[in-house]
Amino acid sequence: GKLKASDRDSAYLQRARILLGLNRRPEAEAVLKLVQNRGAAIIKARKLSSAMSAAKAITDHRAGKR
């Protein structure tokens, strides 16, 4: 069945701690929060809507820009 959000978040935190070698829960939570908010940060930095941001990413990718 489906995991509850809190169980799913705990599983993500545990994976992040293992993959990144983080020994403390606060560090893992900080990394997870950063990853969860990366899309919003990109949109804010580019000053574009999410649709325009996605369109720009596609055209940049097709043009070989990364």
Side-chain angles (χ1 to χ4, degrees), residues 3-18 25 28-29 32 36:
L3 291 174
K4 292 186 293 185
S6 60
D7 293 336
R8 186 183 63 238
D9 289 349
S10 292
Y12 287 143
L13 279 172
Q14 185 175 5
R15 279 194 209 139
R17 289 173 65 192
I18 293 167
R25 185 179 175 100
E29 288 174 349
L32 186 59
Q36 288 173 331

Side-chain angles (χ1 to χ4, degrees), residues 16-47:
R17 289 173 65 192
I18 293 167
L19 291 172
L20 299 170
L22 301 173
N23 296 323
R24 296 190 317 231
R25 185 179 175 100
E27 290 174 334
E29 288 174 349
V31 170
L32 186 59
K33 187 166 187 81
L34 178 70
V35 171
Q36 288 173 331
N37 294 319
R38 70 191 180 281
I42 291 168
I43 290 167
K44 185 177 178 181
R46 289 185 176 178
K47 298 180 180 159

